Amino acid sequence: MFDAFVQVVRQDLLAAFRHQSAILNPIWFFVIVVTLFPLGLGSDPTLLSRIAPGIIWVAALLAALLSFERLFKDDFIDGSLEQMMLSPYPLAWLVSAKIFGHWVLTGLPILLVSPLLAVFLSLKMDAFCALFLTLLIGTPILSLLGAIGVALTVGLRKGGILLSLIMLPFSIPILIFSTMAIEAASFGQSYLGFIALLLAMLVGAITLAPFAIAAALRVSVS
Amino acid sequence: MLECRNLTCVREQRVLFKQLNFMLSAGEILHLEGPNGAGKTSLLRLLTGLSSAYSGDIYWQQENIIKQRESYYKALLYLGHKSGIKPELTVLENLQSFQRLYSTQADADLFEALLMVGLVGYEYVPAAQLSAGQQRRIALARMYITDCKLWILDEPFTSLDKHAVQVLEKRLIKHAEQGGAIVLTTHHELSIPESAYKKLRLSAPAEEEQYV
């Protein structure tokens, strides 16, 4: 069973590395949006460090939205989604593997470039720690929630707008708690409460979302 | 092994077939016939459990397939219109992925399977660079490594050359002789002797029964 998980992740990563524009697009978008803000707003460090959490999180959210299109679409078109649904392994388990692969391709690069962007936006050290933590917890939640929307819209020809309509309301709590945590950190207050709330959301998403996604896929593909 | 009871399929308010009953036992090949749009592919997708019927049930080993998907899928090999080949992966990687995600013979030799479908020399070529027929052959190579009892094949002969068709027909007969069961659709005349397979002809229901 674990073999199947590894196989799904491995083939998704392999396919993505051979098709590089697809993985580079969302992360490029993220970096470009964040670096344009200091150019547009001037380089006043107090202003930048005040709006940095919002900018980084909004850009991360949009980059995630941009990347969802690919999550099940290619598989749907070439028929491997159908085949995955006929595998003797539980669909929710294979779907979890796909989402993990998706997070490695989109969430992880955002985490990796975040120190650089924190410097651009003159974030202080403790605010950056909070930003990193919220991204670490928040991006997997985004991937899991987004996948529900993707699963519901995968059979539609133009599901993109519908997908963002389904997904944005669910991602707003993550955005609010994350930016509040970073704000608290930049004032030197404790932000553990917000992190705990985000962790609770993550646990809920990891345990429940795969089943919702599997059920949504069964509906969409029929 | 496989049994359909009172199966009715409705697409866009149109009845494709009504109250369909049939049984398939080990060693049988069932050839679905019918004009385009008669519901052949719809019936196959119902049989795999990918879509659900308007009414009626499908049983595998006397158990409803919807209720025991995982054990049913251990015994099922399905080849659809879309072959499920990832264009970015090489021929061998595609086959390996089938081997790990579906039930296969313990001692399955991937290279021998590739030899049987005539893809030797293409092991490390990305599937995207192959022709339609060659891509189809990658999917067909699964038949040489699988240990599934029930094969559901939707137009397996599409884009194959004459020689490949013959090889495939031999494989189908061998599978039936070994106690497997096959449901397939094709517009190609099977060269298998008439006595070796059953035919099921789907035709449109009577005019007054066409809509629900």
Side-chain angles (χ1 to χ4, degrees):
Chain A
M1 187 132 147
F2 201 71
D3 268 5
F5 190 93
V6 173
Q7 174 63 27
V8 171
V9 174
R10 205 180 75 103
Q11 76 192 40
D12 273 14
L13 295 187
L14 256 178
F17 282 117
R18 296 204 183 135
H19 194 264
Q20 285 182 350
S21 69
I23 49 168
L24 288 177
N25 271 345
I27 186 71
W28 264 129
F29 173 82
F30 176 71
V31 171
I32 288 169
V33 169
V34 175
T35 49
L36 281 181
F37 269 90
L39 296 178
L41 292 171
S43 56
D44 175 15
T46 46
L47 173 68
L48 283 181
S49 63
R50 203 160 59 81
I51 56 172
I55 296 173
I56 292 183
W57 256 99
V58 169
L61 188 60
L62 294 178
L65 265 183
L66 200 66
S67 66
F68 281 135
E69 197 79 348
R70 284 197 63 247
L71 181 53
F72 293 123
K73 200 82 187 178
D74 293 348
D75 287 10
F76 178 70
I77 292 169
D78 64 28
S80 42
L81 187 61
E82 248 171 41
Q83 290 294 341
M84 194 170 89
M85 296 171 67
L86 298 178
S87 163
Y89 300 100
L91 184 57
W93 177 248
L94 298 181
V95 157
S96 316
K98 282 210 72 86
I99 293 164
F100 178 72
H102 179 259
W103 179 78
V104 169
L105 290 171
T106 57
L108 200 57
I110 288 181
L111 275 179
L112 294 179
V113 294
S114 66
L116 188 67
L117 297 177
V119 176
F120 278 167
L121 298 173
S122 45
L123 265 184
K124 279 182 245 124
M125 192 55 202
D126 30 355
F128 168 69
C129 289
L131 171 71
F132 191 83
L133 265 179
T134 54
L135 281 177
L136 181 66
I137 304 169
T139 46
I141 312 179
L142 286 183
S143 294
L144 284 158
L145 288 182
I148 302 179
V150 181
L152 284 171
T153 54
V154 71
L156 308 176
R157 224 159 293 156
K158 285 183 182 150
I161 293 174
L162 190 59
L163 169 63
S164 38
L165 270 179
I166 296 174
M167 169 157 178
L168 278 177
F170 289 109
S171 49
I172 283 171
I174 308 165
L175 182 69
I176 293 174
F177 286 119
S178 304
T179 47
M180 279 168 88
I182 303 167
E183 211 157 294
S186 63
F187 291 125
Q189 295 163 342
S190 160
Y191 53 88
L192 281 178
F194 299 116
I195 298 290
L197 269 172
L198 282 174
L199 271 175
M201 288 188 214
L202 177 63
V203 171
I206 287 180
T207 46
L208 298 176
F211 296 100
I213 298 162
L217 280 178
R218 293 239 184 257
V219 173
S220 300
V221 172
S222 76
Chain B
M1 288 171 103
L2 185 73
E3 189 183 354
C4 287
R5 291 185 202 153
N6 298 325
L7 211 56
T8 301
C9 176
V10 177
R11 281 288 124 87
E12 314 285 333
Q13 317 277 309
R14 255 181 101 88
V15 179
L16 289 180
F17 46 81
K18 211 169 183 177
Q19 305 290 329
L20 188 70
N21 286 290
F22 69 82
M23 241 176 106
L24 193 69
S25 350
E28 285 185 325
I29 301 178
L30 179 70
H31 178 195
L32 287 182
E33 282 185 325
N36 296 128
K40 299 188 294 295
T41 295
S42 299
L43 176 57
L44 292 188
R45 288 177 68 88
L46 288 182
L47 292 180
T48 60
L50 277 176
S51 45
S52 48
Y54 182 75
S55 67
D57 294 299
I58 300 157
Y59 296 85
W60 168 253
Q61 321 274 37
Q62 274 80 46
E63 279 187 81
N64 197 322
I65 60 163
I66 305 294
K67 292 190 180 127
Q68 43 131 21
R69 278 183 196 273
E70 278 145 34
S71 63
Y72 179 49
Y73 291 160
K74 271 201 188 94
L76 173 72
L77 175 85
Y78 170 68
L79 272 187
H81 275 292
K82 298 181 272 187
S83 45
I85 300 299
K86 293 244 114 230
E88 296 94 350
L89 301 186
T90 65
V91 172
L92 195 60
E93 284 164 350
N94 265 304
L95 209 53
Q96 275 166 350
S97 125
F98 284 128
Q99 190 186 23
R100 300 217 175 103
L101 293 181
Y102 306 91
S103 36
T104 49
Q105 299 156 11
D107 59 341
D109 183 353
L110 299 186
F111 288 99
E112 202 175 305
L114 289 177
L115 180 72
M116 294 308 291
V117 293
L119 282 176
V120 173
Y122 294 96
E123 292 90 342
Y124 303 104
V125 180
Q129 292 175 16
L130 299 179
S131 75
Q134 285 172 320
Q135 292 196 19
R136 194 79 194 161
R137 286 166 186 232
I138 308 175
L140 295 177
R142 294 176 66 189
M143 295 183 184
Y144 295 93
I145 57 171
T146 181
D147 67 350
C148 295
K149 279 259 179 282
L150 175 66
W151 292 3
I152 294 184
L153 313 170
D154 196 353
E155 302 278 357
F157 301 105
T158 323
S159 52
L160 290 184
D161 58 36
K162 275 184 191 153
H163 175 68
V165 168
Q166 278 174 2
V167 175
L168 180 58
E169 281 180 344
K170 270 188 208 139
R171 179 69 189 118
L172 296 184
I173 294 172
K174 191 172 161 218
H175 180 63
E177 280 168 356
Q178 286 169 345
I182 302 172
V183 184
L184 80 156
T185 66
T186 176
H187 293 290
H188 155 90
E189 282 300 321
L190 289 176
S191 63
I192 304 171
E194 287 272 345
S195 57
Y197 67 94
K198 298 203 291 189
K199 276 189 185 180
L200 176 69
R201 192 165 179 81
L202 290 180
S203 48
E207 195 67 42
E208 64 275 13
E209 291 184 337
Q210 274 191 2
Y211 294 93
V212 283

